[in-house]
């Protein structure tokens, strides 16, 4: 009998204690715009191999390209 009374009281207190907790998640946009500063340096190198015949064709026909 005492065990069930203590168990009931425990359940009642737990329910009362947990009722005070209300989990919530808020998502809000910031007032100021998001600023991202990036320094990017891009280097590139192009290597072109031209066959001898194609090289002669390009040399002989200047207006091709």
């Amino acid at each position: 009998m005492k065990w069930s009374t203590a168990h009931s009281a425990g359940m009642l207190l737990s329910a009362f204690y947990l009722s005070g907790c209300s989990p919530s998640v808020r998502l809000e946009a910031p007032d100021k715009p998001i600023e991202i500063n990036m320094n990017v340096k891009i280097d590139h190198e192009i290597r072109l191999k031209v066959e001898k015949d194609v090289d002669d064709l390009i040399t002989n026909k200047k207006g091709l390209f």
Side-chain angles (χ1 to χ4, degrees):
M1 187 74 172
K2 290 182 181 181
W3 176 253
S4 66
T5 303
H7 184 68
S8 297
M11 292 290 286
L12 183 62
L13 286 174
S14 297
F16 180 73
Y17 182 73
L18 291 176
S19 67
C21 299
S22 59
S24 63
V25 177
R26 290 185 180 183
L27 296 176
E28 294 180 5
D31 295 337
K32 297 178 182 176
I34 297 171
E35 185 175 325
I36 299 172
N37 294 323
M38 295 175 58
N39 292 325
V40 178
K41 182 178 180 182
I42 299 173
D43 290 330
H44 64 275
E45 180 178 333
I46 298 173
R47 293 184 180 186
L48 181 65
K49 282 187 165 183
V50 180
E51 294 287 330
K52 179 74 175 154
D53 295 337
V54 177
D55 190 30
D56 291 340
L57 178 69
I58 292 173
T59 305
N60 292 335
K61 296 189 177 186
K62 298 277 186 192
L64 187 61
F65 292 104

